[in-house]
Amino acid sequence: MEATAPKRKEPRKPLRIKVISMGNAEVGKSCIIKRYCEKRFVPKYLATIGIDYGVTKVQIRDREIKVNIFDMAGHPFFYEVRNEFYKDTQGVILVYDVGQKESFDALDSWLAEMKQELGPHGNMDNVVFVVCANKIDCTKHRSVDESEGRLWAESRGFLYFETSAQTGEGINEMFQTFYSAIIDLCDNGGKRPPSSVGVSFTKEQADAIRRIRNSKDSWDMLGVKPGATRDEVNKAYRKLAVLLHPDKCVAPGSEDAFKAVVNARTALLKNIK
Ligand code: GTP
Ligand code: MG
């Protein structure tokens, strides 16, 4: 009797993926990539001219992946060079500098630029985005805190990492999670798997946290007119308390927003007869 040899598992073909970096000039895009690929940091600023291209091979879980990285120049001058490279991308590394608020505020315009270049048939839903809040080693100059960055990223279904290309903090974890999410996307036929799409808080909660964070005084924070009555203050407070109570809301920054609302109500009621 012929013995049947156990079937040998065919090694899976390496996965080929394309990744791009995006974000304002000087936020650290090239340094993040260099830190991961070459394990080193260059303190001197060498602006990327147009695009830098590189290929790396990495092993993630049981898969070998070949990554084509297109590291884009952030300077507006290079728009004409960049715009051809947005298509057929599986992953985007979106970077801002935590000490430069403008670079955080610019994230929306980077998404808009990509959307415009992909055209009406391009689909950004099936791209994995990771947001890197970079230069966290410069703690003295920090102007965008973690909850603000995390809220922006997670409310869009993006990954979020705090990184420092200088110390290496967060870099490996960021790339591992990012590549892992891209493998899941490719295994799911190029569509973001349903499990990774779900955002665990509502847009209403995210908007309320942002509004509270940017409010100019206690009236504004509760969303009532200056001179509102006790009833109006209490009504507005209850609405926000239900929306943002830490037992119910997991959105980044909700705990601080909830505390701020409690304090605003107390301060207002003290002065209203
Ligand atoms: P463009 O190519 O012009 O778009 O800039 P970029 O985003 O690629 O910036 P790059 O990586 O060249 O870094 C800009 C400057 O920031 C350099 O002087 C880096 O040394 C510095 N830098 C980058 N990452 C960090 C970081 O995590 N911490 C600190 N302290 N400096 C950093
Ligand atoms: Mg660069």
Side-chain angles (χ1 to χ4, degrees), residues 111-261:
L111 290 183
E113 181 174 307
M114 178 169 183
K115 196 165 190 232
Q116 184 188 322
E117 292 315 316
L118 291 182
H121 303 298
N123 189 352
M124 306 226 319
D125 291 341
N126 294 324
V127 175
V128 175
F129 283 86
V130 64
V131 175
C132 294
N134 194 40
K135 306 199 188 183
I136 55 163
D137 54 286
C138 303
T139 45
K140 269 195 196 153
H141 309 289
R142 185 150 188 169
S143 56
V144 186
D145 68 19
E146 176 173 354
S147 60
E148 193 172 4
R150 196 177 273 287
L151 185 68
W152 187 91
E154 293 183 358
S155 56
R156 288 166 175 76
F158 298 172
L159 300 164
Y160 172 87
F161 280 86
E162 300 246 303
T163 58
S164 165
Q166 188 195 62
T167 64
E169 196 177 338
I171 302 286
N172 281 344
E173 298 87 322
M174 181 275 286
F175 274 103
Q176 294 276 329
T177 311
F178 178 54
Y179 288 149
S180 211
I182 295 176
I183 292 176
D184 291 341
L185 174 110
C186 295
D187 286 350
N188 195 45
K191 291 213 162 86
R192 253 206 259 184
S195 61
S196 71
V197 179
V199 175
S200 46
F201 49 87
T202 63
K203 185 172 179 303
E204 193 187 2
Q205 287 170 327
D207 289 347
I209 294 168
R210 260 183 228 118
R211 200 183 53 70
I212 289 165
R213 194 193 286 277
N214 296 326
S215 56
K216 56 182 191 304
D217 56 29
S218 299
W219 303 107
D220 193 25
M221 187 172 289
L222 289 181
V224 293
K225 286 199 188 100
T229 63
R230 287 183 87 85
D231 272 359
E232 285 166 337
V233 168
N234 279 327
K235 202 172 156 201
Y237 164 77
R238 272 196 300 274
K239 199 172 162 215
L240 286 170
V242 168
L243 191 67
L244 300 175
H245 195 283
D247 288 351
K248 302 231 176 69
C249 182
V250 295
S254 58
E255 222 165 289
D256 285 346
F258 180 73
K259 278 188 209 150
V261 166

Side-chain angles (χ1 to χ4, degrees), residues 10-23:
E10 286 287 321
R12 292 165 102 174
K13 272 201 204 145
L15 198 61
R16 277 179 171 276
I17 62 168
K18 176 183 165 188
V19 160
I20 61 175
S21 69
M22 271 163 43

Side-chain angles (χ1 to χ4, degrees), residues 36-50:
Y36 183 70
C37 298
E38 299 172 24
K39 312 272 175 272
R40 67 193 180 100
F41 175 69
V42 186
K44 190 164 177 268
Y45 174 41
L46 297 164
T48 303
I49 307 297

Side-chain angles (χ1 to χ4, degrees), residues 29-30 46-48 71-72:
K29 300 177 294 297
S30 303
L46 297 164
T48 303
D71 176 23
M72 295 196 179

